[in-house]
Every structure is written in C-alpha cells, then in structure tokens.
Amino acid sequence: MALRVLSALDTARTQWYHFKAIIIAGMGLFTDAYDLFCIPPIMRLLGRIYYDDHSKTFDKNDNNFVIPVTVVSAILGFPLLGTVLGQLLFGRLGDLVGRRHVYGVTLMMMVLSSIGCGFSLSTSTTCVLVSLCFFRFLLGVGIGGDYPLSATIISEFANKRTRGSLIAAVFSMQGFGILASSLVTIVVCAIFDFATNTDPKKPTPGEADVAWRLILMLGAIPAAMTYYWRMMMPETARYTALVELNVVQATKDMEKVLDVSLSPIAEEEPDLLLTAQNPAPSYPLFSREFLRRHGRDLFSCAANWFLVDIVFYSSNLFQSLIYRRYVDKPNKYDINLYKDAFHVARLQAIVTICSTIPGYWFTVYFIDRIGRRKIQMMGFFMMAIVYFSTGIPYKHWAKHTDAAGFSSKKDKHRDEGFVVLYGLTFFFANFGPNTTTFIVPAELFPARFRSTCHGISGAVGKVGALIGTIGFLWASHGGHNESEKKMTEIKWSLIGLGVVCILGMVVTYFFTPETSGRSLEENENENEHA
C-alpha cells in the first residue's frame, strides 16, 4: 500500500523550501564544476611557473611552458578516481545511515580539499604537483559523494509534478560554477597583471605562484557558506518512513520545512508501514531478486552515464584545441602568463554563457513537459550530428590554419562556424543526457537502494570520464601543429564520439523507462514482478 503522507508530498505545491533546498544541495555541484573547470587556465599558469626554462632560446615552437602529458593526465585523472570512490562509498552510506548524516561530510571534504589544493610543502615542481594531485583526489571523493546524496534528497522532497525540474535545477548549479571559476580567474589574473606588469620575455616572477592557489581556494567559499543549512536539513520523509519505518517522525520532519498539514494523516497511518499482509521486501542488494527487479534499470542508468561522460569530458579537453586558435599568439613569448590564463578563462566564460547554462535551463523548463527519455534520446542524437558534422570534414575546418595552428583572416569564418558547432555539443549535452543521467537514477529505485544505485551509476559514468579524458588527451598529444597525421587522429576521435552518442541513443530507446509524472513509489515498482 502507499503511505498517504508520501502521497501528500507528491501533490504538495512547490514552495520556498524547495528553492532553498536547490541552493543548499546545488552548492556541492557548484563547487564540483568550479574546481574542474578552473583547471584549464590554471594549467596555463602552472606551465609558465613550473616549466619555464629561460636557458632555452626563445622559439615559438620549443617546448617551454609545456606540461608533460603524464603530469596533465595525473592532474585530470586523480579527481575522477576520487569521484568513483566517493560515489560508491557515500552512495552506500546514504542508504545505510541516512542521507542527512553524511550530507555535511561530503561538503566539508570539498571545502577543505579546495583549500588544500592551494597549499604544498614547498615550491618545488615535484612537491607542488604531488600535493595538488593528492588534494584533488580527496576533492573528487567529496564531489563523488555529493552526487547521489544531492539527487536523492531533492527527489525525495519534491512533488511528482515538478520533481524533474527541481533535480535539474540542482544540477544546473554546475553551469554557474563553471562561470564563477572563469570570472574569478579573470579577476585574479587581471589584478596580478596590473599590479606586477610582468614581462613575458623575463623569467616568471615568484608572486605568480600565489595566483593559481588563490583561484583554487576561493572556490571553497560558496560551499562553506551553505554548510550550516545543509546540516540543519531534516531527513527525507521517504527515508524515515520507508527505511527507518517511522511514519510519525516523517510527518513531523516535513511539517517543519514544508507548508503542508500532515498531522491528521499521521494519526490515521500506522506507526509502521509494514504489516503481515504487506511484508517488507527482504532481498539484499545485488541478489538474484534485486537483479530481476532492478537490474535492467541499473544497467540503463550506468551505461548511459558511462557513454555520455566519455563524450562530455572529451569535449571539455577538446577546448584546448579551440583555445589554441583563439587564445594563443603566433609567438608565445608575446604574452605574459596572466594574460594567457585570462584569455582562456574569458573564452570559457563565453562558451558557458552562450551554450552551457542555456542547455541546463532548457532542461529545467522542458523536463517535466516532454519527459526524461525523449530529452535524453534527443540530446544524444543532436550531439552525434554535431560530432559527425565537425569530425567528417575536420580537415576542411583545419586546413586553412598555418603550421602553428593559427587562422588566416580570410578563412576566419570557418573557425567561427566550427566554434558554433562545438558550442552546440555543450548545449545538447546539458539539454540532454548529461542532465538526465543525473535525474533518472534518483527516481527509479526503491528508497533503501536509491542512493546506492545512483552512486553506482555515477561511478560507472566517471570510469567513462576517465576513458574520455585520458584517451582523448593521449590521442591528441604530440605537439602544437596541425600536421596531416594530427588532423586525421582528431577527425577519427570526433567521429568516434559521434558513434558513442548513437550507442547512447540506442541504449536509451531499448532500456530506459520514462519516470516523469509518477511518484517515486510507482517508479520503483517493488512488487510488480513479485
């Protein structure tokens, strides 16, 4: 039977606490995006600071300022490894001990790790980079734990009419985190550049080492500001009623934060949901019964998240090629490190404002109108079209550049067309599977497995992110020129990403159910096949 207290929550109007919960839960996603997307300009700073060898002859084609690909792989890969661990660990703890009990822990891990990223035992290259990788791994653990908890908490607070929009709004905080990281980088670099007036032809000044640390540490402030309110959030009614089996406490908790009268309902409900006529499902996680009832859904969520993260994180790395054409100068010694990072952050902010954030908010608006499944399939399909459109004729886009990868003025319109298409990949990723893969696992599974299954799906996704990140990084490694071999490698990489998107569309079509307009209890279908 369905508890009437939960039915009352499903039909309750959207109110102020829901928006407050979006901000509280969204700060974890905000911090996640801030720390991940501030890295491209920071890598420019690190290259200038720790790989500056002025004993070399100034030559635009030398390897001065270039961070070795193994170091880049470590800086990008360690937080993703941490995210895999965090999603599995905290996802499971969210079901075992409750959502709110571990919710503050993940946020505090992110805050402290963000601050830790700005510190190291010395200024030697090895020590700084090892310290940075260590703290970014811990940061990834916190970020990973925040994913299943944020999605699960919002889904269990929301009514069924606007549940998708509320979860998507939490996830959209990533867009504002990306924008904030770009704006902070722009401001910090502008201030340091104005104060120091650094000459790019002279050795990098020591105070530059402060700039990148400051950018990283400032990202901890918004998350720290919401820590108190996160700790004050009550346990969700669904966890209290369905897992802890305390309906009365669930009604009291909800009456504290939502404008609904549940006391009369609570008096009519038994203290426990379960009776001899309605026994508790007794099968454990990953049992044969669990796989029979929920294995298809878990496969669908994990597979789609895996596929979209291969594509999404590869696209983020592909920005380095865009940056080179629009940011780099023909001679890298004509621009100092602050202006270098400034221009990267500015371009990133433009892409975010024009493509990334609109994609998130299109999903917020349409998710409960046209459904998760259609948006996910549409997003995969449109991304595939864009990748094929950029990949198949990639030599057309690249052949007008000179040996260093810089465009001639007469062919600049081709670059502009390429960037528009490239921006559409971010739009349709966020108005598509990058957002829906965060939403659907929070709606499909029983309350006692919900956080765990979301964490498993996300962890598999981050394995895909590792493959996309490290794979594309090494595939595109090999210098700064647009050689025939390099263009061929990038061409087939883009076509391969399009194929991955088609595979995602197929998996969605055959395995992903629609969850909109139904209560969580209807979606989980505990007893449908019993």
Side-chain angles (χ1 to χ4, degrees), residues 44 318-330 335 339-348 350-351 394 397-398 400-402 404-423 480 482:
R44 293 298 189 110
F318 194 72
Q319 289 185 62
S320 63
L321 302 180
I322 301 295
Y323 293 153
R324 188 170 69 251
R325 293 183 183 179
Y326 284 87
V327 177
D328 287 358
K329 301 298 181 183
I335 183 173
K339 286 188 173 70
D340 191 7
F342 177 97
H343 291 156
V344 171
R346 183 178 63 182
L347 181 60
Q348 187 167 273
I350 292 171
V351 172
Y394 182 74
W397 300 112
H400 59 289
T401 59
D402 62 23
F406 302 104
S407 308
S408 61
K409 291 183 179 179
K410 68 178 181 179
D411 288 324
K412 193 172 182 179
H413 65 281
R414 294 183 184 175
D415 265 353
E416 292 170 350
F418 185 88
V419 170
V420 170
L421 288 173
Y422 166 75
H480 293 280
E482 289 286 346

Side-chain angles (χ1 to χ4, degrees), residues 293-351:
R293 298 185 181 190
H294 309 293
R296 177 190 176 101
D297 291 339
L298 186 58
F299 166 78
S300 168
C301 294
N304 282 317
W305 208 327
F306 175 84
L307 294 170
V308 73
D309 271 8
I310 290 177
V311 174
F312 188 71
Y313 282 80
S314 296
S315 294
N316 289 326
L317 278 181
F318 194 72
Q319 289 185 62
S320 63
L321 302 180
I322 301 295
Y323 293 153
R324 188 170 69 251
R325 293 183 183 179
Y326 284 87
V327 177
D328 287 358
K329 301 298 181 183
N331 191 328
K332 58 191 173 185
Y333 296 102
D334 289 339
I335 183 173
N336 68 33
L337 76 165
Y338 300 122
K339 286 188 173 70
D340 191 7
F342 177 97
H343 291 156
V344 171
R346 183 178 63 182
L347 181 60
Q348 187 167 273
I350 292 171
V351 172

Side-chain angles (χ1 to χ4, degrees), residues 185-200:
T185 302
I186 288 171
V187 171
V188 170
C189 289
I191 292 173
F192 273 76
D193 186 39
F194 176 79
T196 62
N197 194 24
T198 302
D199 185 346

Side-chain angles (χ1 to χ4, degrees), residues 162-174:
T162 61
R163 185 178 62 239
S165 294
L166 294 178
I167 305 174
V170 169
F171 197 65
S172 73
M173 295 298 287
Q174 281 193 335

Side-chain angles (χ1 to χ4, degrees), residues 121-404:
L121 300 178
S122 72
T123 57
S124 70
T125 301
T126 301
C127 189
V128 167
L129 295 178
V130 169
S131 173
L132 182 60
C133 289
F134 172 75
F135 282 108
R136 282 181 63 78
F137 175 80
L138 294 182
L139 176 67
V141 175
I143 289 171
D146 206 72
Y147 268 68
L149 295 172
S150 293
T152 298
I153 286 172
I154 294 299
S155 71
E156 293 181 345
F157 271 122
N159 62 59
K160 64 182 180 181
R161 184 176 60 85
T162 61
R163 185 178 62 239
S165 294
L166 294 178
I167 305 174
V170 169
F171 197 65
S172 73
M173 295 298 287
Q174 281 193 335
F176 295 106
I178 298 169
L179 181 59
S181 72
S182 301
L183 295 179
V184 168
T185 302
I186 288 171
V187 171
V188 170
C189 289
I191 292 173
F192 273 76
D193 186 39
F194 176 79
T196 62
N197 194 24
T198 302
D199 185 346
K201 291 184 172 63
K202 293 182 179 180
T204 303
E207 61 267 18
D209 196 54
V210 177
W212 69 269
R213 299 171 188 271
L214 185 60
I215 294 168
L216 284 172
M217 290 190 287
L218 287 174
I221 294 176
M225 291 173 62
T226 60
Y227 178 76
Y228 172 80
W229 287 275
R230 184 173 283 207
M231 294 303 295
M232 293 297 102
M233 291 182 75
E235 186 57 84
T236 68
R238 284 182 162 86
Y239 185 85
T240 304
L242 299 176
V243 180
E244 295 182 340
L245 309 178
N246 190 338
V247 178
V248 173
Q249 185 61 46
T251 61
K252 291 179 180 178
D253 288 342
M254 290 304 97
E255 283 190 320
K256 290 178 183 177
V257 296
L258 295 178
D259 184 19
V260 289
S261 179
L262 300 176
S263 297
I265 296 175
E267 292 171 1
E268 298 172 10
E269 298 276 16
D271 285 345
L272 299 178
L273 170 65
L274 308 173
T275 65
Q277 290 74 34
N278 187 39
S282 57
Y283 58 88
L285 184 68
F286 294 135
S287 63
R288 181 177 299 178
E289 186 67 11
F290 170 87
L291 295 175
R292 183 174 71 86
R293 298 185 181 190
H294 309 293
R296 177 190 176 101
D297 291 339
L298 186 58
F299 166 78
S300 168
C301 294
N304 282 317
W305 208 327
F306 175 84
L307 294 170
V308 73
D309 271 8
I310 290 177
V311 174
F312 188 71
Y313 282 80
S314 296
S315 294
N316 289 326
L317 278 181
F318 194 72
Q319 289 185 62
S320 63
L321 302 180
I322 301 295
Y323 293 153
R324 188 170 69 251
R325 293 183 183 179
Y326 284 87
V327 177
D328 287 358
K329 301 298 181 183
N331 191 328
K332 58 191 173 185
Y333 296 102
D334 289 339
I335 183 173
N336 68 33
L337 76 165
Y338 300 122
K339 286 188 173 70
D340 191 7
F342 177 97
H343 291 156
V344 171
R346 183 178 63 182
L347 181 60
Q348 187 167 273
I350 292 171
V351 172
T352 301
I353 292 170
C354 296
S355 181
T356 304
I357 291 178
Y360 283 120
W361 286 94
F362 264 65
T363 302
V364 172
Y365 182 79
F366 286 107
I367 188 75
D368 289 311
R369 290 172 168 81
I370 63 179
R372 290 77 160 135
R373 188 168 178 267
K374 289 180 180 178
I375 287 179
Q376 187 161 298
M377 290 181 62
M378 177 272 298
F380 271 128
F381 177 74
M382 293 304 299
M383 289 171 70
I385 295 298
V386 172
Y387 280 120
F388 291 144
S389 299
T390 54
I392 293 174
Y394 182 74
K395 293 182 181 180
H396 165 79
W397 300 112
K399 69 182 179 181
H400 59 289
T401 59
D402 62 23

Side-chain angles (χ1 to χ4, degrees), residues 84 86-99 144-145 147-149 152 156 239 284-286 290 298 301-302 305 441-442 445-460:
V84 172
Q87 286 175 318
L88 294 174
L89 174 63
F90 288 104
R92 189 61 184 139
L93 287 175
D95 285 333
L96 293 178
V97 302
R99 287 68 160 119
Y147 268 68
L149 295 172
T152 298
E156 293 181 345
Y239 185 85
L285 184 68
F286 294 135
F290 170 87
L298 186 58
C301 294
W305 208 327
F445 301 98
R448 62 200 183 98
F449 299 136
R450 186 168 293 132
S451 179
T452 301
C453 290
H454 194 287
I456 292 170
S457 301
V460 173

Side-chain angles (χ1 to χ4, degrees), residues 63-79:
N63 288 324
N64 208 20
F65 307 148
V66 177
I67 302 176
V69 68
T70 51
V71 176
V72 177
S73 299
I75 293 175
L76 296 176
F78 271 99

